[in-house]
Amino acid sequence: MIGRPDYEKARSIKHCCLLAGSRRMSIERKYDGEYCQVHIDLNSPQSCLKIFSKSGRDSTHDRVGLHRAIQDSLLLGTADCRIKKQCILEGELLVWNDDCGRIEPFHKIRKHVRRSGHLLGAGQDSPIKPNEHLMIIFYDLLLLDDRVCALEASNERRQQLQSLVRQIPGHAAIGYRKVIAFSSIDAAKQVTEVFAEAITQRWEGLVLKGCDDSYISYNWTTSAIKLKKDYIPGLGDSADFVIVGGNYSAEDMQEIGIGKLWWTSFHIGCVDNKDEVRRFNVKPRFRIIDIIDRHGIPKDCMMHLNRHGYFTESAFAVSSPYFDVVLDPSRNLRPKTLFMQPFIVELVGAGFDKPSNAGYYTLRFPRLLKIHGDRSFKETTGFDELQDMARQCLEMPSNLEREEKMWIKRLQGYR
């Protein structure tokens, strides 16, 4: 497998323009699926097709639902196939809905793709619908026969990709692309408009590649760029939650590197009976929905949680004089320690998703933004409120034009 390049993260439209410099950039949709590196070897004595995952694992057998689409789109076994020896392409595995004519949310993938022969995390998912199936979006070409395309310019790779792939609606396609010259005076305006459209259409984000740059970059001036809503302060999907408990990992403590810690991961909860608490002042019931660890907690916040949590810790119990805890039996979310005075925190994420073996939505890739010392758990997001927030975020807006104009206006503050 060919190693993937690093990407720069744009923290604003202005920062994106700075990273782009004066380059002509290919603005491409970032698809919310699973990465595929497709290898074709026509001289292989066995199957000529292999599919590798983002981690480099051979996922050919697990992604058998894609084989036909790849074979048909590359015209393998026909006289019209342009591959004579070998080929390596990059793409994204997605779920397509024929009736709606759209790509389905990320969590639908786990119903269609096995992991080492087993369906994982799909215990609470609905059965596969007849109108749903896997598809692949190709977006780069790294090798074609004896031609090492990865060393060539992005523009040239795109042209070769377009001549290689036969697009099949709902099964195989080439990703969206728009070219912007960042040397132009209105480059920031053009990027703002494309990004506003991406947010309105509920895309995961954008990837920017220099039209004259090779696949592998050796310095940041030629690196590809990722532009996502949650990378920009103030734009990500955020809400207030409670931290009700914690766990400890010696390995994580070593990785964090800030000295002795009592907890290295923390359990996020929502008030499950928020209306009753507000109206009748009954004992709160916290539903634990997720865990946030060192990857999503700044070191100063990790220190704060450990210092203050020490004085209110208690062994785990489903019920205490202060609150009750609700655990989903299909998910391993039980903390070793509870905090009798839960922390109120603001989390931000990259949209919403249904975790493995869960029938409800949580923030995707949550990160801790702030610990609130002046708020009550009554002001945090209730469980039902979180589900409504997620559905609203995922659904297409009723007035696309109005929402896109709103985002253009909002993004102007980041130019």
Side-chain angles (χ1 to χ4, degrees):
M1 175 175 168
I2 296 178
R4 303 178 69 211
D6 293 328
Y7 291 83
E8 296 289 335
K9 294 181 180 180
R11 303 298 181 183
S12 66
I13 299 296
K14 183 177 180 180
H15 185 219
C16 181
C17 292
L18 177 67
L19 292 171
S22 60
R23 290 182 286 172
R24 285 178 69 250
M25 303 294 287
S26 173
I27 317 298
E28 303 176 10
R29 174 177 175 178
K30 189 178 189 310
Y31 291 88
D32 191 12
E34 292 189 358
Y35 173 83
C36 294
Q37 193 172 109
V38 178
H39 289 229
I40 306 296
D41 182 0
L42 298 183
N43 295 319
S44 173
Q46 300 175 342
S47 172
C48 69
L49 169 64
K50 282 191 178 294
I51 305 173
F52 294 92
S53 67
K54 187 177 181 179
S55 66
R57 179 177 172 272
D58 186 342
S59 301
T60 309
H61 182 70
D62 290 345
R63 297 177 178 185
V64 66
L66 269 188
H67 292 193
R68 180 65 182 270
I70 294 172
Q71 291 165 356
D72 290 349
S73 63
L74 298 179
L75 301 170
L76 296 179
T78 72
D80 294 326
C81 178
R82 289 193 61 242
I83 305 168
K84 305 306 178 187
K85 297 180 182 178
Q86 58 190 346
C87 182
I88 300 177
L89 307 97
E90 280 191 319
E92 201 83 359
L93 176 151
L94 304 158
V95 174
W96 179 263
N97 186 309
D98 285 325
D99 289 351
C100 302
R102 71 181 183 202
I103 295 168
E104 292 286 63
F106 178 82
H107 69 263
K108 295 274 184 110
I109 292 175
R110 62 179 176 241
K111 296 190 293 185
H112 294 261
V113 178
R114 294 181 179 271
R115 317 292 174 180
S116 299
H118 302 282
L119 286 177
L120 299 181
Q124 298 295 315
D125 295 337
S126 58
I128 295 175
K129 297 178 181 177
N131 60 335
E132 292 179 356
H133 55 81
L134 294 180
M135 78 170 297
I136 186 164
I137 299 286
F138 292 108
Y139 54 78
D140 216 332
L141 175 63
L142 309 184
L143 178 70
L144 179 57
D145 296 328
D146 297 325
R147 186 172 179 175
V148 184
C149 303
L151 300 177
E152 298 178 6
S154 172
N155 248 7
E156 182 61 33
R157 302 199 307 273
R158 180 76 178 200
Q159 290 174 13
Q160 291 293 323
L161 182 67
Q162 289 173 327
S163 67
L164 185 68
V165 174
R166 179 172 72 97
Q167 302 197 63
I168 307 169
H171 293 271
I174 295 175
Y176 167 92
R177 183 200 196 212
K178 177 183 177 68
V179 174
I180 294 178
F182 276 76
S183 58
S184 64
I185 194 168
D186 65 340
K189 177 176 178 292
Q190 292 184 64
V191 176
T192 298
E193 290 173 351
V194 177
F195 192 35
E197 179 187 4
I199 296 172
T200 303
Q201 294 288 341
R202 306 306 191 240
W203 296 358
E204 186 185 2
L206 298 173
V207 175
L208 290 74
K209 302 174 182 175
C211 290
D212 299 319
D213 297 334
S214 63
Y215 179 77
I216 300 171
S217 171
Y218 298 100
N219 61 72
W220 71 268
T221 60
T222 58
S223 290
I225 304 163
K226 285 183 181 179
L227 180 60
K228 293 176 60 180
K229 190 174 67 169
D230 60 299
Y231 289 169
I232 300 177
L235 291 189
D237 298 289
S238 62
D240 288 345
F241 296 86
V242 291
I243 287 181
V244 295
N247 275 341
Y248 170 80
S249 163
E251 182 179 345
D252 282 351
M253 189 182 77
Q254 289 293 111
E255 289 290 336
I256 295 167
I258 55 176
K260 174 65 179 176
L261 296 172
W262 298 103
W263 304 279
T264 54
S265 61
F266 296 87
H267 294 246
I268 306 301
C270 291
V271 186
D272 206 32
N273 57 340
K274 187 172 179 177
D275 287 344
E276 291 88 343
V277 169
R278 281 185 162 178
R279 292 170 61 190
F280 308 115
N281 201 32
V282 300
K283 184 168 68 168
R285 186 172 64 246
F286 295 131
R287 178 189 290 265
I288 297 179
I289 60 168
D290 211 347
I291 297 173
I292 186 168
D293 60 17
R294 60 186 175 85
H295 299 291
I297 305 177
K299 290 185 178 181
D300 59 333
C301 293
M302 183 71 76
M303 289 293 292
H304 180 99
L305 294 170
N306 272 268
R307 286 198 191 107
H308 294 268
Y310 179 80
F311 297 101
T312 67
E313 68 166 313
S314 177
F316 175 80
V318 171
S319 182
S320 76
Y322 302 96
F323 57 80
D324 294 336
V325 174
V326 178
L327 293 170
D328 189 332
S330 62
R331 302 186 67 204
N332 184 23
L333 295 176
R334 175 172 171 158
K336 292 183 178 179
T337 303
L338 292 180
F339 304 121
M340 292 300 101
Q341 294 179 18
F343 296 94
I344 312 302
V345 296
E346 181 181 356
L347 302 182
V348 65
F352 297 86
D353 197 26
K354 289 185 178 180
S356 295
N357 295 316
Y360 53 83
Y361 291 100
T362 63
L363 276 176
R364 194 173 180 193
F365 308 129
R367 304 191 306 275
L368 197 157
L369 286 182
K370 189 174 181 181
I371 300 172
H372 295 291
D374 57 348
R375 296 187 187 179
S376 162
F377 68 85
K378 296 178 183 179
E379 301 172 75
T380 61
T381 305
F383 180 75
D384 292 337
E385 291 172 326
L386 179 66
Q387 303 313 297
D388 290 341
M389 187 187 304
R391 282 188 283 268
Q392 185 176 356
C393 173
L394 293 168
E395 289 174 357
M396 292 295 289
S398 57
N399 191 321
L400 289 169
E401 184 178 357
R402 182 174 62 191
E403 176 148 339
E404 190 170 324
K405 287 180 179 178
M406 180 275 291
W407 277 110
I408 289 174
K409 184 175 181 181
R410 190 171 176 186
L411 289 168
Q412 285 173 347
Y414 295 86
R415 282 163 51 181

